[in-house]
Amino acid sequence: MNIYANEKFPSYEKKHVKNYKKVEKALTEIDLNHNWSWYDEVYFRWKNDLNKLAIYFRGYEITGREMFEKADILACALKKKGIRKGDEILACMANCPEAIYLLLAVSKCGAIVNFWSSKFDRHFIKEIIEGSNSRILFATSDEWNNIKELPICENIETKIIVPLDAVLKKRDVWHNEEKLKEVDNICDKTIATFSDFINCTEKNKQIKFDKCTLDDPFTITYTSGSTKIGFPKAIIHKNRAYISIARFHDPDLSRMPAMRNMRGLAHIPLHSNTNIASAISDTLCQKCTVACEPIYEADFFAKSLAINKASFVIATRSFWIAAMKEFEKNEKLAKEVIPHLISAVSVGEDIAKNEEKYINKILKKYKAGSAKVPFPLYPFTLSVGGGDCEHGGLFFTLFREQRERFSFSMKEFGLVPFQLADIAVLDAKGRECTYEQYGRLVANSPCTMKEYKNNVEANKKFYIKDAYGRYWGDCHVWAYITQKGNVVIRGRMGNEFTLKSGKKVPMFKITEAILKVSKNILSCETVLIYEKETEKIVSHIELIPDKNASERELIDEIRKQCQRNFPEEILSKQYYRIIPMGSTYELTKSGKRNIRALELKQTKDCNKLY
């Protein structure tokens, strides 16, 4: 694959040509020597270090040796159940060791694991189960209690339940007993506990497993909700996606420090490819420890950090902001948590300057990373990762704010594309934009999904053709490429106001203008809504906690800033809402800011500026 071939935009090719041979060599080496399953890749990396800690779960420590032994036994049990290469296995699970055993075992069998959530719409769950033709379901007790009454579950021949309740109540000093209920007594013959299922099986070296390849499908995960709520699109990823990105995270290709003896937190739901690729696969492939966290709630995140004491954590900016606020309220909690945190990574959402500065300020205040790096050299700045679930984690910048602070330019540093990714920013006619010109971000790489499952129309929309005849996977976001070849990503496309001239003004442009007004503004989300058949532009503004700012004076300054930047067509439709102190934005189940909820919010509590 010619990663950087681009005759129409030679300056971009020249930017990367010095790395082309190195990238091509690495991709060729993967095809020649790593044409196997994800299980084989992880084992290849761990085989000489099996006594190292692989999984941490609420005080329980599991070595690499124990992890592979459990996975091998589970793979034999699945083979005894008739699972063959290409079969689909349903999984409705929270993060726990058994989920990692399942990933490894399914991969060893050459099967496909379909991770979904009990929080999906009931009709969509029925579609998932009927569309899988799966004979077996794995579920953790918290998820099972939400779906056990569904008639469709009766059609599944074997249901394997992982009871989390006893583990959490014993090991979790922060645990709220209302969050998880005891799993009911199991009397149904189609139901077994995970322990019972594997205890009746032994590791059998005589069992032959089908040979797997890089291009065999491995996982089915789901988008974060950019489609109809409760009906996310199913994404199929191949072994190649996880093996390739793991190789390009290695220090010789990523040019980032090696992950040595780090503990990464896996708390994002398993039905998100971000969690499997970045928190589980990459962490294991770097021979580090995965800390499994089954509870995914913004108000629990700070406690999750206290429980797991992870040194590497990826989370949405909304979760990070929630945790920082909690640390400020509870200094004892903060001092217990943050010293272990050497790499805090924001993913899944664009993060504003003031949000990043606020998070960095709290991380520095409580000496983030000081347990790993001697004071005063501890890292305290947020790292940023990117790349939607369809593409995998293609972008990353370690300690972005630190890099920008010491750059000689006031322009944004942006995200650094991993070298396996071919990226471009296209204008409305499909031509490549010049540097620092906003357009549609597109990408291709070995990590790009195979396809959406059973969704021909979505596949047609995802794969787009540019003006030069090349096909890309659409990231569906506004972005531009810097002179350094980095990527600055803004809001999702589709939320633009059309002027009478036909020019479209994205809402993020208004948000950017407002954020420049005052250091007191933490966050801003601007949405275009339709109320009584009238277009209205509403900016929802959150102030930095405990900042005493005059709301009226702030609104006046915002008004002046917008007058300097936008035409009357926009000014006449603008509304502003200051989020009450102590409140924040509503979040989606994926942990991101709920833009749809803002679009539906009425303007009666907003201030109209004349």
Side-chain angles (χ1 to χ4, degrees), residues 224-451:
S224 59
S226 59
T227 52
K228 183 179 177 181
I229 294 175
F231 291 79
K233 295 190 287 289
I235 306 169
I236 301 175
H237 273 292
K238 301 181 288 189
N239 287 311
R240 184 183 295 275
Y242 303 101
I243 293 173
S244 297
I245 197 66
R247 176 68 186 95
F248 278 80
H249 277 165
D250 291 338
D252 63 317
L253 291 175
S254 68
R255 292 171 293 176
M256 292 192 299
M259 289 175 61
R260 293 191 177 95
N261 302 315
M262 291 184 72
R263 180 183 295 178
L265 182 66
H267 74 124
I268 298 173
L270 277 161
H271 63 265
S272 168
N273 187 62
T274 299
N275 194 47
I276 296 175
S278 300
I280 295 177
S281 178
D282 284 347
T283 303
L284 288 178
C285 285
Q286 296 300 321
K287 293 189 293 187
C288 292
T289 305
V290 178
C292 295
E293 172 53 62
I295 298 176
Y296 187 70
E297 296 175 9
D299 61 2
F300 192 80
F301 183 42
K303 296 175 183 177
S304 168
L305 294 173
I307 294 166
N308 293 287
K309 292 182 170 58
S311 49
F312 168 71
V313 179
I314 60 173
T316 65
R317 56 99 183 265
S318 298
F319 267 55
W320 281 119
I321 291 172
M324 297 304 108
K325 291 178 180 178
E326 182 67 22
F327 295 158
E328 286 289 81
K329 294 177 187 175
N330 187 342
E331 291 190 15
K332 181 180 177 181
L333 172 66
K335 290 176 181 178
E336 179 181 356
V337 174
I338 300 185
H340 298 87
L341 186 61
I342 196 170
S343 182
V345 184
S346 175
V347 297
E349 300 178 283
D350 177 35
I351 184 166
K353 285 284 187 183
N354 287 354
E355 292 171 328
E356 191 170 349
K357 288 179 180 178
Y358 173 70
I359 295 169
N360 289 337
K361 178 183 176 181
I362 307 302
L363 290 174
K364 181 179 180 180
K365 179 179 179 179
Y366 293 107
K367 298 181 173 60
S370 59
K372 298 283 185 180
V373 182
F375 181 85
L377 299 177
Y378 59 87
F380 55 85
T381 54
L382 197 71
S383 301
V384 181
D388 51 42
C389 287
E390 287 87 341
H391 286 96
L394 297 183
F395 314 109
F396 187 77
T397 295
L398 189 65
F399 309 147
R400 184 181 71 172
E401 199 260 358
Q402 188 85 335
R403 291 193 180 196
E404 290 182 353
R405 183 183 303 171
F406 293 107
S407 74
F408 292 102
S409 170
M410 296 303 292
K411 295 177 181 177
E412 290 190 84
F413 189 85
L415 296 170
V416 180
F418 281 101
Q419 295 180 60
L420 85 170
D422 187 11
I423 61 170
V425 172
L426 306 178
D427 64 17
K429 295 182 179 180
R431 301 170 303 193
E432 287 206 32
C433 297
T434 57
Y435 291 120
E436 300 180 15
Q437 177 188 354
Y438 275 112
R440 179 187 296 272
L441 179 66
V442 293
N444 279 323
S445 84
C447 303
T448 302
M449 68 173 188
K450 180 178 182 290
E451 62 186 354

Side-chain angles (χ1 to χ4, degrees), residues 466-570:
D466 68 13
Y468 318 111
R470 300 168 303 177
Y471 282 92
W472 300 88
D474 185 11
C475 297
H476 201 65
V477 292
W478 289 97
Y480 68 80
I481 297 177
T482 70
Q483 292 284 348
K484 292 182 177 291
N486 298 343
V487 181
V488 175
I489 299 175
R490 285 296 176 258
R492 293 187 68 85
M493 303 190 87
N495 192 20
E496 300 89 21
F497 179 82
T498 304
L499 300 173
K500 292 178 181 178
S501 64
K503 181 181 178 182
K504 293 182 180 294
V505 179
M507 294 299 99
F508 76 81
K509 289 283 190 181
I510 298 173
T511 293
E512 284 182 338
I514 292 173
L515 288 171
K516 292 177 182 177
V517 168
S518 171
K519 294 180 179 179
N520 293 327
I521 299 176
L522 175 65
S523 305
C524 178
E525 285 291 346
T526 303
V527 295
L528 180 63
I529 67 173
Y530 295 89
E531 189 175 299
K532 296 180 180 178
E533 300 181 355
T534 302
E535 282 183 308
K536 297 184 178 181
I537 299 170
V538 183
S539 296
H540 301 264
I541 302 163
E542 181 178 11
L543 303 182
I544 291 177
D546 303 322
K547 285 282 187 180
N548 294 319
S550 167
E551 182 175 318
R552 187 65 254 174
E553 290 179 4
L554 186 62
I555 293 290
D556 287 342
E557 284 300 313
I558 291 172
R559 174 179 176 271
K560 293 176 184 177
Q561 174 78 339
C562 289
Q563 284 178 333
R564 288 191 290 266
N565 286 274
F566 304 108
E568 180 60 28
E569 283 182 73
I570 286 179

